[in-house]
Structures are given as structure tokens and as C-alpha cells.
Amino acid sequence: MLVHICCSVDSHYFLQKLRADLPDENLVGYFYDPNIHPYSEFLLRFEDVKRSCDKLKIELICGDYDYDSWLQGTKGLEDEPEKGKRCSYCFDFRVGNSAKKAAEIGEKSITTTLLMSPKKDFEQLTNALKKAVENTQIEIYAKDYRKNGGTNEQFTLAKKDKLYHQNYCGCIFGLSKQREAQKLPLSELCSEINTRIMPGSIEERLKLYKKVRECEEKGISFTLKRNSFLNYRLLRAFVRFDSKTIPSYFMLYSNFKRNFIKFNLQEQADENTNLRDGIILLSISRFNTIFNTNFKDTTQLCKNPLSIKDELKIREELSGTMSLNPIIILDDVRLGKYEIYAKNELYQDSKEILKILDTK
């Protein structure tokens, strides 16, 4: 039997139920989910599915990330609700491809772990399976393992085995609607141009679950804890001096009450003095002196930013614990007219933390 797999939380329990009910059936996992966006999230889910299948000693095939083809079929369905026509199309696309893979490798039946998801419509999925095997000799297997407490057992098992529990279905349309309802930014689609790993990002989770796999391989005892924190994303920002845009570096957690601020610096002030709306301007030479760095100019700092940890430490030294003052590094702090255009998001978030357990 070929088992289309959507994620480890659904597959880990579902595969074990299949084994119990069909002990003579050889199971082959097929991770085919080109709907998942962005690609980093696709990789994260695949790696955790592989981890689950390795635990269960089940062969796993990773299908192509055929995102463009999947996206073509969503035209006109972008605003469909969950369990609407877009979901039906998505199921047909993924399960249909799974049936082709089953025929290619000689499997006689197919099913999908999507049947385990509490947010999916069982009838839609059953219809997708039936449609996928039309005019073939392949059989379908569609059993609702969610009943009789199955969903609770599924999540209990996922927590026990420390599986990655994603916080959105997968596609960009569902993600956009979910974040809009939550009044949260689309942080999954935000990344720094210089590829620093931002707090609460998919890249941070990829790094975390790589450590999870390493701990398991080495037999190191660990636990995962979820911590709440105040997250930050700078969406856009630039500085104009005497009507000309100049190089600038905006430090993390520079929070702006307004998208546009202007002021006239008429006399030289200490470089860490709060200006309009609490803004702190700092020259690159002063920054180098205070923090023992050697950036030749602001552009070099922009291209080679400090680590997140070091930057937050510098922020605390400049403006105090839990500071949200806008701190802007410039080549020089000169007298004249400044215009600052900036937009950022501050929002409550949570992330998992890996803790090594002391077994002594």
C-alpha cells in the first residue's frame, strides 16, 4: 500500500493504526505536498516525516516540490474557505499524483494521512481517493481513525515523540487568511536579506529540529518547551538627510509609532540622546568605539550584521532593558533635516526551546 503523507503529526499515529489493522500489508510512505509554502516549511515537514518513518521502519519516498503546477490550478480559488473548492482541488492534485506513483512502483492500494487531520473533510478526501483510482486496478483504503478518541490519541503520541506540530495547514492562501484573522504578520514569508535566522522563523525551527534529530541519534535526553515572547519584524525603513536617502542600519526592536517622522537637528547632541519619538542616532565610528567593532561604514554593517544575540545585548546597553527605542546607525550624525520612513510589526509569539536533561 502506498500511503500519501502530509505531515508527521498525522502520519505517525495513522501509520501505526494501519499496521495494527493490516499486519500483512507492506506500507510505503509518499511525501507529496507541493502546496506547502514556503519551501523551507516543506523541508521542515519532510525532515520530521522522515524522522517518524525511520522510527517506524517504513520506507519513505519524497515527491517533487512541484509548486508552480499546483499553484496554476488555484486560479479563481484563492478566496475559497477551508473545506471549500480549493481544498477539493488540492486533495485531487496530491492524491491523484499519489495514485500515479503507486502504479509506477507496483503498489495495489493507496490511502492518505490527510484522513487523520481534524480540520479536513473526510468525504472530500474519500472522493479524492475514488477519483484518483478511476480506470485503474488500484484500490483505496479510507478509514476514519479520528473517531472514538483517535484525535486525542494522535496528539498525545505526537507530543510524547516530540514531533513538529505546524501552526498552519500549508498553503499560502490558508496561511494568509489565518494570520489575517489572528491579526498577525505573515512572518513565515519574511526573511532578512542577509539570511540571519530570525526569532520564531521557519529557519529557526529547521535548526531546532536538526538538534532534535542529533540528540535522538546520540541518545541524549532532552525535552521541548514552548516559550512566549515578543517578536519583531522590520518591514521597511530608510532615512533621508536634506532630502537625500543615506545609508542606514535599523537595529532590531526599533519600534515606530508612526510610519513617517521628520525633525531638524539644529545642535550637536550626545549621540545616544533620545530625539523625536525616542529615536537614537549613532554614527558608525561611535558604534565601533563603544562596542569594539571595526565596520568601515554603515553599508558594511548592513551587509554583515551582528548576531541576533549580540545586537540585542548592544540594544540593552544603549537604551536599557526591554527597550523599544528606534536605534539607527548612520555614517555620520550631522546637523540638518532628517526624514525617517519605517514600518515594523511587534507581536506576541511563541517558539519551542530544546533543553538537555541532566541524567546524572
Side-chain angles (χ1 to χ4, degrees), residues 136-244:
T136 75
Q137 299 300 311
I138 298 174
E139 297 181 351
I140 70 167
Y141 187 85
K143 187 171 181 179
D144 193 349
Y145 287 125
R146 298 177 296 186
K147 293 181 176 179
N148 303 316
T151 298
N152 287 336
E153 291 179 19
Q154 168 199 14
F155 290 134
T156 298
L157 180 63
K159 185 175 182 179
K160 171 182 170 291
D161 285 350
K162 302 178 180 63
L163 301 178
Y164 168 57
H165 199 149
Q166 64 269 15
N167 59 7
Y168 68 102
C169 174
C171 82
I172 191 171
F173 307 111
L175 172 62
S176 298
K177 285 184 176 292
Q178 186 171 320
R179 294 295 176 262
E180 183 180 355
Q182 295 169 326
K183 297 182 179 180
L184 293 174
L186 283 165
S187 61
E188 290 82 2
L189 306 185
C190 298
S191 59
E192 281 208 342
I193 194 168
N194 293 301
T195 68
R196 278 196 307 185
I197 296 178
M198 298 298 289
S201 66
I202 296 171
E203 290 74 20
E204 186 178 66
R205 294 196 289 272
L206 273 166
K207 188 176 180 180
L208 170 72
Y209 276 88
K210 181 180 179 181
K211 289 183 180 178
V212 165
R213 293 192 298 274
E214 289 173 352
C215 284
E216 289 182 334
E217 290 167 2
K218 295 176 181 178
I220 298 172
S221 296
F222 68 96
T223 186
L224 292 175
K225 295 183 177 181
R226 184 162 291 279
N227 286 3
S228 294
F229 71 107
L230 184 65
N231 210 340
Y232 173 88
R233 292 292 185 273
L234 182 65
L235 304 182
R236 67 172 183 269
F238 62 94
V239 176
R240 283 181 178 168
F241 176 75
D242 285 348
S243 301
K244 294 181 180 179

Side-chain angles (χ1 to χ4, degrees), residues 10-220:
D10 287 347
S11 67
H12 202 58
Y13 179 80
F14 190 86
L15 289 168
Q16 291 179 69
K17 293 295 288 185
L18 285 179
R19 266 206 177 136
D21 287 352
L22 307 169
D24 298 325
E25 191 72 61
N26 179 57
L27 303 178
V28 177
Y30 183 50
F31 185 81
Y32 184 72
D33 301 284
N35 61 306
I36 296 174
H37 190 79
Y39 181 62
S40 53
E41 179 71 16
F42 174 89
L43 290 177
L44 178 53
R45 297 190 193 190
F46 168 70
E47 289 294 341
D48 213 53
V49 165
K50 185 176 184 302
R51 176 175 157 236
S52 164
C53 286
D54 286 346
K55 287 176 182 285
L56 301 175
K57 294 181 170 50
I58 288 176
E59 178 187 353
L60 176 66
I61 300 169
C62 184
D64 293 334
Y65 184 65
D66 197 8
Y67 182 69
D68 289 341
S69 294
W70 177 88
L71 195 61
Q72 285 293 321
T74 66
K75 290 182 178 179
L77 305 175
E78 295 90 345
D79 294 323
E80 282 287 310
E82 183 75 18
K83 301 182 181 179
K85 292 180 181 179
R86 189 182 64 248
C87 288
S88 289
Y89 157 73
C90 185
F91 300 154
D92 290 345
F93 189 95
R94 294 149 74 192
V95 176
N97 182 281
S98 299
K100 291 177 183 177
K101 176 59 69 172
E104 177 188 319
I105 64 176
E107 293 297 328
K108 304 300 182 185
S109 59
I110 64 166
T111 187
T112 174
T113 63
L114 285 163
L115 293 164
M116 196 68 230
S117 175
K119 294 185 178 180
K120 305 304 178 192
D121 185 275
F122 191 85
E123 185 176 352
Q124 272 185 328
L125 288 163
T126 302
N127 289 336
L129 285 166
K130 290 177 180 177
K131 191 183 298 185
V133 300
E134 284 179 356
N135 303 316
T136 75
Q137 299 300 311
I138 298 174
E139 297 181 351
I140 70 167
Y141 187 85
K143 187 171 181 179
D144 193 349
Y145 287 125
R146 298 177 296 186
K147 293 181 176 179
N148 303 316
T151 298
N152 287 336
E153 291 179 19
Q154 168 199 14
F155 290 134
T156 298
L157 180 63
K159 185 175 182 179
K160 171 182 170 291
D161 285 350
K162 302 178 180 63
L163 301 178
Y164 168 57
H165 199 149
Q166 64 269 15
N167 59 7
Y168 68 102
C169 174
C171 82
I172 191 171
F173 307 111
L175 172 62
S176 298
K177 285 184 176 292
Q178 186 171 320
R179 294 295 176 262
E180 183 180 355
Q182 295 169 326
K183 297 182 179 180
L184 293 174
L186 283 165
S187 61
E188 290 82 2
L189 306 185
C190 298
S191 59
E192 281 208 342
I193 194 168
N194 293 301
T195 68
R196 278 196 307 185
I197 296 178
M198 298 298 289
S201 66
I202 296 171
E203 290 74 20
E204 186 178 66
R205 294 196 289 272
L206 273 166
K207 188 176 180 180
L208 170 72
Y209 276 88
K210 181 180 179 181
K211 289 183 180 178
V212 165
R213 293 192 298 274
E214 289 173 352
C215 284
E216 289 182 334
E217 290 167 2
K218 295 176 181 178
I220 298 172

